[in-house]
Each structure stands twice: as structure tokens, then as C-alpha cells.
Amino acid sequence: MIVNILTIAGSDPSSGAGIQRDLKTFDALGAYGLSVITAVTSQNTTRFFGVQPVSADMVKNQIRSILSDFTLDAIKIGMVFDKRIIQVIYSELKGLDMPIVLDPVFESTTGGALLQKDAFEDFKKLLVPLAYVITPNIIEAERLAGIKIKTINDIHNAAKKIQRLGVTNIIIKGGHLPYKNKIVDVLLDNKRFYDFSHKFIKMKNHGGGCTFSAALCVEIAIGHDLPIAVKSASKFTSLSIKNATNLGKGLAIAEKRDREDAVTALLQGIVRFTKVSNIYQQIPECQTNFVYSNTKPGSLEDILGLEGRIVRAGTRVLPTGILKYGGSKHVGSALLEVSKRFSSIRSALNIKFDKNTIAKAKRKKLHVLSYDRSKEPLYIKKKEGSTISWGIHEAVKNAKSPPDIIFHKGGIGKEPMILIFGRTPDDVLKKLVKIV
Ligand code: PXL
């Protein structure tokens, strides 16, 4: 299911924050992003140079052009800059039955004013009550609540004060208040407080705040309750901050690149596979492939695999060829079929069939399934490349839980095979070492 999300925010040409960060985050999480630009900033990772607002009329026309065409699942509001823009957003969105995530942005990490001083009262009076949830950091929460924040207790008080401005749900991000290397994000979900404590990542970055509120907006659009949505958005943001890179000369830009992460995880998995003791004995005639997709695969092209194979050379095992999306047809098709039924399964590899390996897997309480190639219908046999999908489908169609292993005992001219499945390459390897 694709969700449509609109962000109403300012442009950041460095793509670290603002509209560009929102769209990248929506995209990374599988949502379709639409955008209404309120202001254009000129800034880079070292400095903020200036800002020019878009006219209120033009903001109105952009909003109308989107609302009259798309069915939206959620809206995020970021930088709004001035009074007239706030008033227009208010009149266009009031009365809409739609979750709105309001990220109060007052000042950029590179030092520019993103909300004019005389717009603050209208921001509180008009925009805050429109929101389903507001996501200030400590500094923004201090301004909104009108109190100083020094302790977790102060954060709770600030959340209650912000609630009185007319918004039910508040998340105050504790990043500016690290204590013993931990930070605490506080969610006030209507009447209930949740404190989410996580590790402080000491990394000055550009884009963390926008990433969090944009990810939260996707989570809410999908329909998750706030505590779950906050946890997952926060995890995505931490990964983005951990992954922040110095792309310009100044602040590192926070960004999570899924595809690169998949490459690293699979490469490490392949290297570790080749180091499993006596692993050469497990390589089948047709050699081994190891595949991974860290997003839900829709086709073979979403699955990373070796374009060559992991081959046996005497008692050594060597990866050949390059890692590529769509690189593996056989193990890739098997993964695709399993992941259609069990979306947690994202990685697989194949090893040589041996009935002792299967017996050991069962003794170790792994979930073992199989299919019988001799039962393959003729029309499938005739259709090039559909045997594996058919067989795996047969094996999993009545399964109640994800398989760890699927095997078949071969057919005329077909080598028998064992496939091991898991959530990640690491998970697959853990199962492998249990049984070989
Ligand atoms: O992170 C808040 C933010 C939002 N919008 C724009 C920004 C920034 C921070 O720099 O530049 C356009």
C-alpha cells in the first residue's frame, strides 16, 4: 500500500533539512511525498545565507492544487516563516479530517531564523491546534511552553503546558539534554506519558529533526499508534544520524541509505559464510548464492545477490562476480516467494542437500518445509524459470510461521537442494552454523 503524504515546508538547497529531507525520508520509507514550498532558503552545511518567502497566495494555490487532486493520508508542516503564510495554511487546512504532524522550526542548525518573531503568536494560536501531534525539541518546547527545561520532570511539565495550546499529543525530543550518555524523548499521548530512553549519538548533524517528524508522519499515515510510531521514527532517525556523512565542508548530513546498508550487510554475510569451518563441503554442484533485500521485495530487481556465485575451489570457498540487484535468479526467486507470504523473511542462501543436515535441523527445532519436484505440473515445467517459485509456493502455502529451511530432493537432472531463510544475512548464518 502506498500512502500519500504532503509536506508544507521550506526549501533547503543542501537537502539536509526542509522539503528535500522530508521527500527523501518519505521515499526511503516507501511513501509518496507531495510538497508545498513556503519559503526558499539559501544555506549550505557551513552557513545560512538568507531566506525569501513564497507569497501567501502562491502557498494557497499550491495547497489547493494538491488537495483537489490527491487523497492524502497525512500532512507534515515544517518551516512556515511568516504570519501571512501561517494564516493561509490555517484557512486551507482547518476542518480537514487528516492527521497533521507539526514540526515547530524556529531556527536552522546553520543559524538562520526560520520563523519571524512577529509570527510566533499566530503559530501558537492557529497552527498548534490544527495538529494531531507536535514534535518540538527542548529549545522549541521551552519557547512554546514558556519555561526553562533542565530535567525530565521539566519536559513533562512543558508537554502539559503545550497541550494547553490546543494540541492533544506532544513529543519532546530530548537530544539537547543528554544525561549519562542517554537521551529521553517524551511522548504525551493524550493523558499518558511515555519516556523513550535511547543512546545519545554525539554527532552534530543537519537534518535530524526533519527526518524524525517526516518518518513519524509516515508511521502515522500507515496507521500506527503513537507509541509505536515514535519508536520506529526514532530508530530510523538514529540510524540516519549514525550514518551522517560530511558531504559538504561543514555539518554532516543525516541520511539513511537503505541500499548501501543492504550491500554492507550482505557483503559481511558472504565473507563470514566463506569462513565457516569446512564450509566447502556444503557447496552444491550448482554453487551457492546468498541474497538479501532490506525492504519488502516486489520483484527480483529488489533483491541483492551475487551476479556470480560463491564457488568451491578444492577446500576453499570463494565469492565470484559482483553484488547486484537482480543478481540471483534461483535463490532470489525463492526469497521473493517466501517473502510474499512472510514479509519478515528478507535473506536466503542455498547449500548442498544431505538428509543428515535436515535431520539435524529438525533436532535443533528449526522450522523445516519441503516440496516434491516430481509433482511439478507440466505447464510449470514448460514455463522457463517458474519451477522454483512454484515449489516454494507449494512449501509455504499452508505454513503458519516463517520457514527456516525449505528443501527438495531433486528430480530427473535436477540437483536436490537446501535453502536457509532468515530476516537478515546474519540471521541466516546463525541457522547455518546450527546445522552444519
Ligand atoms: O531542521 C529544521 C529546518 C526546516 N526547514 C528548513 C531548514 C531547517 C534547518 O536548517 O533549513 C528549510
Side-chain angles (χ1 to χ4, degrees):
M1 180 188 67
I2 293 210
V3 293
N4 291 330
I5 302 181
L6 169 64
T7 170
I8 302 176
S11 161
D12 167 9
S14 74
S15 299
I19 284 273
Q20 290 83 352
R21 173 57 41 206
D22 291 344
L23 291 176
K24 280 162 168 266
T25 304
F26 297 157
D27 194 61
L29 295 170
Y32 186 76
L34 300 135
S35 54
V36 162
I37 300 188
T38 54
V40 178
T41 70
S42 52
Q43 59 178 313
N44 58 26
T45 60
T46 69
R47 264 195 70 184
F48 193 91
F49 298 92
V51 50
Q52 181 159 52
V54 169
S55 74
D57 244 4
M58 193 58 196
V59 171
K60 177 168 80 189
N61 292 341
Q62 291 180 77
I63 295 176
R64 288 189 178 178
S65 67
I66 297 307
L67 291 186
S68 62
D69 190 13
F70 293 85
T71 305
L72 299 180
D73 298 285
I75 297 177
K76 175 189 155 171
I77 303 175
M79 172 185 180
V80 289
F81 195 64
D82 68 26
K83 267 181 163 174
R84 287 171 318 134
I85 294 174
I86 290 172
Q87 278 155 9
V88 108
I89 295 174
Y90 170 73
S91 26
E92 293 305 307
L93 301 191
K94 71 169 190 276
L96 269 191
D97 182 18
M98 164 107 37
I100 295 177
V101 175
L102 178 63
D103 186 16
V105 293
F106 302 151
E107 202 176 292
S108 87
T109 35
T110 43
L114 303 178
L115 183 74
Q116 290 192 325
K117 279 210 174 69
D118 69 354
F120 186 64
E121 284 308 312
D122 276 352
F123 182 90
K124 282 200 296 192
K125 207 170 72 207
L126 299 178
L127 291 191
V128 175
L130 274 189
Y132 168 65
V133 58
I134 186 169
T135 61
N137 62 26
I138 297 277
I139 295 160
E140 292 150 355
E142 286 185 328
R143 269 194 78 186
L144 287 164
I147 60 168
K148 280 265 160 242
I149 297 178
K150 296 228 155 50
T151 62
I152 305 288
N153 204 22
D154 295 339
I155 302 183
H156 285 212
N157 283 335
K160 281 193 207 143
K161 285 196 187 306
I162 295 170
Q163 205 173 44
R164 281 183 220 130
L165 299 175
V167 52
T168 313
N169 306 305
I170 296 102
I171 297 156
I172 300 181
K173 300 166 290 178
H176 291 81
L177 201 73
Y179 178 71
K180 290 188 178 164
N181 267 335
K182 291 260 178 220
I183 53 176
V184 179
D185 297 329
V186 172
L187 163 65
L188 174 54
D189 182 352
N190 194 2
K191 295 203 169 77
R192 186 163 168 198
F193 277 108
Y194 296 82
D195 290 358
F196 299 100
S197 157
H198 48 101
K199 217 173 136 195
F200 176 59
I201 307 165
K202 207 169 169 203
M203 159 76 92
K204 243 185 118 102
N205 72 89
H206 184 48
C210 293
T211 302
F212 175 77
S213 52
L216 184 74
C217 200
V218 177
E219 290 291 319
I220 290 169
I222 292 170
H224 287 155
D225 290 340
L226 273 176
I228 290 175
V230 172
K231 258 192 162 163
S232 228
S234 164
K235 186 167 176 211
F236 182 82
T237 309
S238 300
L239 289 171
S240 303
I241 293 175
K242 257 193 215 154
N243 195 46
T245 20
N246 289 97
L247 299 168
K249 297 190 178 73
L251 280 175
I253 289 179
E255 180 165 73
K256 173 165 156 48
R257 268 172 260 129
D258 267 355
R259 292 211 146 195
E260 272 186 15
D261 291 351
V263 171
T264 312
L266 185 55
L267 269 178
Q268 283 172 354
I270 290 171
V271 171
R272 287 185 48 206
F273 174 81
T274 63
K275 293 187 173 154
V276 173
S277 91
N278 291 328
I279 195 66
Y280 73 93
Q281 294 170 352
Q282 306 299 332
I283 305 291
E285 293 300 323
C286 72
Q287 318 292 348
T288 286
N289 213 325
F290 200 166
V291 300
Y292 182 38
S293 176
N294 67 349
T295 52
K296 185 170 170 47
S299 76
L300 281 181
E301 293 310 307
D302 296 325
I303 299 176
L304 193 60
L306 274 170
E307 206 181 22
R309 299 284 163 96
I310 304 172
V311 301
R312 174 181 166 176
T315 58
R316 287 194 311 153
V317 165
L318 306 165
T320 63
I322 54 164
L323 274 191
K324 223 180 134 182
Y325 281 92
S328 163
K329 296 281 171 291
H330 291 172
V331 185
S333 304
L335 177 67
L336 187 61
E337 207 52 47
V338 174
S339 75
K340 278 185 202 161
R341 176 130 169 70
F342 298 106
S343 64
S344 63
I345 299 298
R346 299 283 167 85
S347 182
L349 64 72
N350 65 310
I351 56 169
K352 193 176 193 151
F353 175 80
D354 184 328
K355 60 181 189 325
N356 295 323
T357 310
I358 296 299
K360 192 157 179 200
K362 288 180 178 166
R363 279 204 305 282
K364 297 274 180 185
K365 304 252 181 303
L366 292 182
H367 186 201
V368 178
L369 299 174
S370 66
Y371 63 97
D372 183 351
R373 277 189 89 140
S374 68
K375 298 217 168 91
E376 183 182 358
L378 196 60
Y379 75 94
I380 301 278
K381 273 191 190 141
K382 283 190 175 158
K383 210 165 118 201
E384 178 70 27
S386 53
T387 297
I388 291 176
S389 309
W390 166 82
I392 298 289
H393 178 75
E394 285 297 297
V396 297
K397 70 181 179 196
N398 296 319
K400 297 270 182 305
S401 60
D404 298 309
I405 283 179
I406 299 178
F407 73 91
H408 72 82
K409 291 184 177 165
I412 298 162
K414 299 288 178 197
E415 188 184 13
M417 199 65 65
I418 294 175
L419 285 149
I420 307 175
F421 295 90
R423 287 171 284 109
T424 58
D426 228 35
D427 191 31
V428 170
L429 285 171
K430 280 191 189 126
K431 294 172 187 175
L432 172 84
V433 297
K434 276 191 187 170
I435 60 172
V436 302

